Amino acid sequence: MSDLSGAVVVVTGAATGVGRALARAAAGRGGDVVAVDVDDPGETTELIAAAGGRARAARADVRDLAALQALAEELGGPVDLVCANAGTGAGGTIDTIKSDDLRHLLEVNVLGVFHTAQAFLRSEEHTSELQSHHDL
């Protein structure tokens, strides 16, 4: 990841794990991070602020396209980088996993990425020096 000074960076699944690490790394490179998660991503934004970075927390479920579109509108300006990181897992074997668990996994891991890209696509259409760094 290169210099992200002044770039608006949206990271989904930012409350823990890889999402938290991505958010912290983006902030460490100067990005203005929007940490998004279905759970409260406040601890992530606190860690970023404690390290001198800039971040805000936003609660949204990536399965809910309207919620992500509302967040994109609320941001009110272009988004330079989106990390569609939110994901979940399910344990079990083909004969023990329940259809509802598999449906939830697909909604988060597949539709969630689609919804995230769709919601923030218009924000990314602006011309930016960072366009070459967009990896959706």
Side-chain angles (χ1 to χ4, degrees):
M1 215 184 294
S2 61
D3 181 33
L4 296 172
S5 295
V8 175
V9 180
V10 172
V11 181
T12 65
T16 59
V18 173
R20 176 177 285 173
L22 286 168
R24 294 180 75 188
R29 288 168 173 78
D32 294 325
V33 173
V34 181
V36 182
D37 205 289
V38 68
D39 296 319
D40 183 8
E43 187 176 327
T44 298
T45 59
E46 290 170 10
L47 289 168
I48 290 169
R54 293 175 307 280
R56 64 169 281 200
R59 287 186 81 157
D61 187 336
V62 296
R63 297 174 297 166
D64 184 350
L65 176 59
L68 293 173
Q69 289 172 325
L71 175 59
E73 275 295 313
E74 182 184 319
L75 294 178
V79 172
D80 299 291
L81 180 64
V82 177
C83 300
N85 169 75
T88 191
T93 60
I94 194 75
D95 59 335
T96 62
I97 193 168
K98 296 177 182 170
S99 294
D100 287 343
D101 293 337
L102 180 60
R103 185 173 293 106
H104 176 76
L105 181 140
L106 293 171
E107 287 175 352
V108 173
N109 296 355
V110 179
L111 284 178
V113 172
F114 176 74
H115 289 163
T116 301
Q118 199 170 44
F120 293 99
L121 181 62
R122 282 180 285 183
S123 292
E124 290 192 338
E125 288 175 350
H126 75 285
T127 303
S128 169
E129 294 176 16
L130 298 171
Q131 273 187 314
S132 64
H133 300 290
H134 290 204
D135 293 325
L136 274 183

